Amino acid sequence: MKKILASLCIAVGFTLTNCVSYKYVCKTDERWPDFLGFPFVQSTDGSWIFSMSGDLFIKGFIGNILFWGLFFME
C-alpha cells in the first residue's frame, strides 16, 4: 500500500511540474496555444481566449497520473 501511495505522489509531482512533457504545436494561420503533456495532453501554455492562465484538461491530467504511477510502481 505504501508503494502505491508513494508512486502516485511522485506521479502527481511529475505531472504538475511538466518536467517531462512534449510540446504539441498547431501550425496554422490562427493563434493556437501550445499543448503540454506526456503521453496525454493535459494543459496549455495560455488560454484560448486572451488570458494570463492556461487551461488544464482533467482527462489528460488523470491519464498522465495513472501512466506515471504505473511507471514508478515497477
Side-chain angles (χ1 to χ4, degrees):
M1 185 68 179
K2 289 182 181 181
K3 187 175 182 180
I4 294 171
L5 187 60
S7 66
L8 286 177
C9 288
I10 293 170
V12 168
F14 253 65
T15 305
L16 288 176
T17 58
N18 283 330
C19 58
V20 176
S21 67
Y22 281 132
K23 186 176 184 180
Y24 304 94
V25 179
C26 296
K27 297 290 184 184
T28 61
D29 294 337
E30 298 179 15
R31 164 69 169 98
W32 289 84
D34 296 339
F35 299 99
L36 303 170
F38 178 78
F40 306 109
V41 174
Q42 72 182 20
S43 63
T44 61
D45 65 340
S47 181
W48 295 53
I49 302 171
F50 300 105
S51 175
M52 295 298 287
S53 64
D55 296 327
L56 181 69
F57 304 117
I58 194 69
K59 288 182 183 177
F61 180 69
I62 292 172
N64 286 340
I65 288 174
L66 293 176
F67 173 80
W68 286 110
L70 290 173
F71 180 78
F72 286 117
M73 200 177 310
E74 295 298 320

